[in-house]
Amino acid sequence: MNQHLTVVVVEQNQERAFAIVDALKEAGDVDVSVIGNVTGLARKIAMHSPDIVLIDIDNPSRDMLEELTVASGPLERPVAMFVSSAAGGLAKAAVEAGVSAYVVDGLQAERIKPVIDTAIARFQVLRQMRTELAETRRALEERKVIDRAKGLLMKAKGVSEDEAYALLRKTAMNQNRRVAEVSEALVTASGLLS
């Protein structure tokens, strides 16, 4: 926790909230906001636009876990959840919901910094993997469209696959567009003409 962080703490017990805020301030350079009432949690968290969300719950139910993780935006920012006891299967459900750190035996001051550091690091790794997966899927879809466009050109013009691709590439350069965009336009037009 070397950089400045904006932290939102979701804690309904006021004494615990003060203890958490004090521990966070001792751990590093942070701006801390506490949300004590979980009604409208998503809106409240969004207003603060935090770098990380810490959720302290004694015994979460699956419904509460889902509501809190959805509200805290685990795909947008790291979320660390502290629970008082290990409830069967909730750790797995929390991780599947996007929680970056799920800590049993509650929030203890000496563990805040390492948990935050771990949650942020894990979140960044997962975000990078999601980005790479999305880019790979997009590239695969583009490849499929380009192959379909080449097939259409090969059939319509009686040319080889290499010649069809060269035609797509030349058209893309002339129109200052990507080959995938030209291919998509060709496939769409072909569908309209069929």
Side-chain angles (χ1 to χ4, degrees):
M1 228 169 69
N2 297 333
Q3 80 273 19
H4 176 77
L5 291 176
T6 303
V7 180
V8 164
V9 176
V10 178
E11 172 59 69
Q12 294 177 318
N13 180 306
Q14 191 173 11
E15 284 182 36
R16 293 253 327 131
F18 287 142
I20 294 168
V21 169
D22 290 344
L24 283 166
K25 299 238 180 208
E26 285 178 24
D29 182 20
V30 296
D31 287 330
V32 184
S33 300
V34 177
I35 298 175
N37 182 349
V38 295
T39 305
L41 187 60
R43 181 181 45 78
K44 291 175 183 175
I45 289 173
M47 282 177 21
H48 294 287
S49 188
D51 297 312
I52 187 167
V53 177
L54 302 181
I55 301 172
D56 188 32
I57 303 173
D58 282 333
N59 295 305
S61 67
R62 284 192 184 278
D63 292 339
M64 178 185 274
L65 174 73
E66 186 174 313
E67 180 182 333
L68 288 172
T69 54
V70 168
S72 57
L75 298 179
E76 300 169 20
R77 65 188 57 83
V79 176
M81 181 172 283
F82 298 86
V83 297
S84 59
S85 63
L90 284 184
K92 183 177 188 270
V95 170
E96 288 173 353
V99 172
S100 302
Y102 185 86
V103 182
V104 178
D105 290 335
L107 196 152
Q108 298 169 4
E110 66 274 4
R111 296 194 316 188
I112 287 180
K113 183 184 180 321
V115 168
I116 287 176
D117 290 343
T118 301
I120 290 171
R122 183 172 186 272
F123 174 79
Q124 290 171 342
V125 167
L126 289 175
R127 181 172 47 190
Q128 178 65 30
M129 287 172 44
R130 282 192 300 269
T131 300
E132 289 174 5
L133 179 60
E135 289 172 3
T136 300
R137 284 181 175 158
R138 182 190 50 76
L140 182 60
E141 289 303 314
E142 286 180 356
R143 185 84 248 150
K144 288 179 184 177
V145 169
I146 291 169
D147 286 345
R148 285 176 51 203
K150 287 191 302 188
L152 290 170
L153 287 173
M154 290 165 58
K155 183 177 179 182
K157 294 201 169 262
V159 295
S160 71
E161 183 177 357
D162 289 341
E163 292 169 321
Y165 184 74
L167 184 58
L168 286 171
R169 195 174 76 224
K170 181 179 182 214
T171 303
M173 288 188 332
N174 289 344
Q175 295 178 1
N176 199 24
R177 295 169 67 192
R178 296 175 45 244
V179 172
E181 292 171 355
V182 171
S183 298
E184 181 70 40
L186 178 62
V187 169
T188 301
S190 173
L192 292 173
L193 295 174
S194 302

